[in-house]
Amino acid sequence: MRRWSCASLALLIWSYACPASAKTYEVGPGKPYTAIGAVPWESLVGGDTVLIHWRDTPYKEKWVIGGRGSATLPIVVRGVLGPSGQRPVIDGNGATTRAQLSFWNPDRSVLKIGGSSSPPNNPSYIVVENLDIGGGRSPATFTTSQGSSMPYRDNAASIMIENGDHITIRNCIARDSANGIFSAHDSSQVLIEANHIHGNGRVGDIYVHNNYTESNGIVFQYNRLGPLCAGCSGNNLKDRSAGTVIRYNFIESGNRQLDLVESGTFAAAPSYRATYVYGNVLVEPDGAGNSQIVHYGGDNGDTSTYRKGTLYFHNNTVVSTRAGNTTLLRLSSNDESADVRNNVLYVSAAGNRLGMLDGNGRLTLAKNWLKSSWVGSHGTLSLAIQQPAPQVSATSPGFVNEAAQDYRLLATSSCVNGGGSVLADATHFAVRQYVAHLSSEVRPDDGPVDIGAFEYASGGAGASCDASSESAPAAAWMVGGLFGFVLTRRRRPATAPPV
């Protein structure tokens, strides 16, 4: 019987998966292309791969992706990591643009997907991974494809998805821009996976955020969403999408950690009325913006477009170190509902400093861990809170190391085996859990579910999804092109986005 080496198997799969016309463009020191702008971005087709190799100086270039791939032949733009796992740095401050590209709103982003005439405006099945992108904020300037100098707008982004479908942003850093990642309403089937998004915003500006998205189907998973820039007033994740799933992320600080508000485009879509937030760690530092953790509903005053559905919020770990009051949820009206189960809702202050609602909305609570003497609201409740199952109260949730932000559970925690069932369909149970940082693992299944984002397992944790780790070595991506993409997807069979 013939034995196949890994290299031979990789070559065999590559030969079947990629047509002869598929090309690989390598950029970097000693490579065929020394500049990103030398790549013919206007003519990329499905199966093409652009490999941008790390170097010790940033690439001061910006560009647009507009080609059309397919599920089996995506267009892949991949950073090749440095010797210590460094991502190639793309710096928008002083960046140049390839002359053959023609796209509108060049001042809105460093890397843009969609919204172009050259390449044709039809992006589909695009994968961008392993890049460190920043510098997209005024007063920084860049050179357009016509050769003129232009400043970035106040709402520019490190990565902007203007339109397109099946867009994946994976294992990137998006930082030091007004918006970190921005998607517009002509985008669909977007996956934001295993990225470190932090340090974005503008001082005193409430309209730009670490993430600002409006897509027809979007999943955030395995991301580390850190604080915005010092003095910046935006939210960590502001979303106006239909079919929003936010799972297995570490989300720290922001005016609010999550601001899930109305869309003027998707209000009639059935998936607009159900939003899933589960398996996340949400951290509220003292004095960090608004005292509310999550806002769900709308903010434009036109209540006809508000979400008016259900926020399914389960198996999250919420930690607030505010000295004053913390409010878990603001529901914009009594037409908004939240089903809140199996969450650790911990405040370092006294229990009565934690309120469930700002005032409005329909809230169901079951099997959450919280300190006794919590309150329904620090104001006045419009409707009574429903509690079909009792909450679990103790003086401490029993974290492994709260000071080090290790919110896994000790064996003695009252959260262990303390959870119950959740009201979500079978594709939205917490089957994985976050691994610090930018990775995940299978959530152990040892019987009754534990409360919070982590399951205690005496025998150890599940199998780690190392390909999305922030410190993953370059060897993790040594198999290039589509084969590398297929390997990545096969290693995550439980996490395909349900959009």
Side-chain angles (χ1 to χ4, degrees):
M1 180 177 179
R2 184 173 182 177
R3 297 182 181 273
W4 293 88
S5 68
C6 288
S8 298
L9 182 60
L11 183 61
L12 177 65
I13 294 177
W14 174 265
S15 66
Y16 276 100
C18 296
S21 59
K23 297 178 181 179
T24 297
Y25 302 89
E26 294 201 57
V27 180
K31 302 302 177 184
Y33 299 89
T34 58
I36 294 172
V39 173
W41 296 98
E42 64 278 3
S43 58
L44 295 186
V45 297
D48 285 351
T49 299
V50 179
L51 300 178
I52 302 174
H53 290 258
W54 175 85
R55 67 186 191 188
D56 57 8
T57 57
Y59 293 90
K60 285 186 171 288
E61 303 184 67
K62 66 194 301 293
W63 69 100
V64 64
I65 302 171
R68 191 165 188 85
S70 66
T72 55
L73 295 172
I75 294 173
V76 178
V77 180
R78 175 180 300 130
V80 179
L81 305 181
S84 299
Q86 312 99 307
R87 300 169 181 81
V89 175
I90 314 298
D91 184 3
N93 189 359
T96 60
T97 311
R98 177 176 169 83
Q100 290 85 348
L101 297 177
S102 178
F103 55 101
W104 45 92
N105 298 324
D107 52 354
R108 288 289 307 274
S109 62
V110 180
L111 172 59
K112 189 164 185 274
I113 298 172
S116 62
S117 54
S118 177
N121 185 31
N122 62 348
S124 182
Y125 289 96
I126 307 295
V127 179
V128 176
E129 55 193 12
N130 296 5
L131 297 177
D132 179 343
I133 306 177
R137 62 152 58 103
S138 62
T141 62
F142 63 93
T143 301
T144 70
S145 58
Q146 291 78 37
S148 60
S149 179
M150 178 180 286
Y152 288 96
R153 287 196 215 174
D154 289 347
N155 62 350
S158 288
I159 302 173
M160 178 183 181
I161 306 169
E162 181 147 342
N163 57 46
D165 62 271
H166 297 91
I167 310 298
T168 297
I169 310 296
R170 178 187 297 125
N171 198 36
C172 290
I173 296 175
R175 57 173 177 81
D176 193 31
S177 295
N179 292 296
I181 294 180
F182 180 96
S183 73
H185 64 266
D186 284 332
S187 62
S188 62
Q189 315 290 12
V190 174
L191 175 61
I192 310 296
E193 179 178 76
N195 303 284
H196 188 189
I197 305 168
H198 67 101
N200 300 290
R202 288 174 53 83
V203 174
D205 189 339
I206 65 173
Y207 297 108
V208 290
H209 315 281
N210 257 349
N211 301 273
Y212 196 0
T213 49
E214 186 175 12
S215 302
N216 189 8
I218 191 166
V219 173
F220 288 85
Q221 61 186 17
Y222 319 145
N223 300 286
R224 182 183 184 185
L225 309 183
L228 283 74
C229 53
C232 295
S233 306
N235 298 296
N236 210 322
L237 196 168
K238 187 176 183 100
D239 178 73
R240 300 180 183 275
S241 302
T244 302
V245 177
I246 301 168
R247 59 190 181 191
Y248 319 129
N249 303 281
F250 189 99
I251 306 173
E252 183 174 13
S253 197
N255 182 50
R256 294 186 182 95
Q257 281 70 19
L258 301 176
D259 197 30
L260 311 173
V261 291
E262 82 289 332
S263 169
T265 303
F266 303 125
S271 60
Y272 180 62
R273 305 297 176 187
T275 301
Y276 296 90
V277 177
Y278 58 94
N280 303 283
V281 176
L282 300 100
V283 179
E284 171 74 359
D286 190 25
N290 200 302
S291 62
Q292 300 161 1
I293 306 297
V294 180
H295 176 206
Y296 176 78
D299 63 5
N300 69 358
D302 180 4
T303 59
S304 67
T305 62
Y306 282 15
R307 289 186 180 254
K308 295 184 180 180
T310 300
L311 169 64
Y312 295 95
F313 190 89
H314 57 87
N315 285 103
N316 301 287
T317 294
V318 178
V319 176
S320 173
T321 58
R322 297 185 74 94
N325 292 340
T326 297
T327 298
L328 177 64
L329 295 169
R330 178 190 170 193
L331 302 179
S332 295
S333 74
N334 288 338
D335 291 324
E336 273 76 40
S337 300
D339 192 84
V340 177
R341 300 171 189 253
N342 298 349
N343 303 283
V344 173
L345 307 176
Y346 171 72
V347 294
S348 58
N352 62 4
R353 289 294 190 175
L354 174 62
M356 294 297 107
L357 290 176
D358 184 54
N360 292 328
R362 295 171 287 166
L363 175 60
T364 299
L365 291 177
K367 295 288 188 175
N368 301 285
W369 184 98
L370 27 62
K371 288 182 177 179
S372 60
S373 73
W374 61 273
V375 298
S377 175
H378 298 301
T380 302
L381 286 173
S382 294
L383 300 171
I385 294 174
Q386 303 301 309
Q387 297 187 64
Q391 316 312 312
V392 176
S393 295
T395 57
S396 169
F399 294 139
V400 168
N401 190 334
E402 181 183 347
Q405 294 188 321
D406 187 345
Y407 302 123
R408 293 175 299 161
L409 301 175
L410 296 168
T412 54
S413 170
S414 55
C415 298
V416 174
N417 296 335
S421 60
V422 298
L423 297 183
D425 62 78
T427 63
H428 292 290
F429 293 123
V431 297
R432 300 190 70 84
Q433 56 192 25
Y434 186 78
V435 173
H437 277 298
L438 309 194
S439 189
S440 75
E441 64 187 11
V442 174
R443 183 173 176 129
D445 183 3
D446 57 356
V449 66
D450 295 351
I451 297 173
F454 302 100
E455 188 82 11
Y456 174 79
S458 59
S464 178
C465 187
D466 294 326
S468 60
S469 172
E470 184 170 16
S471 60
W477 306 99
M478 66 182 179
V479 184
L482 179 63
F483 183 61
F485 176 76
V486 171
L487 277 181
T488 301
R489 299 317 304 158
R490 288 189 65 193
R491 294 182 69 181
R492 300 192 185 103
T495 61
V499 296

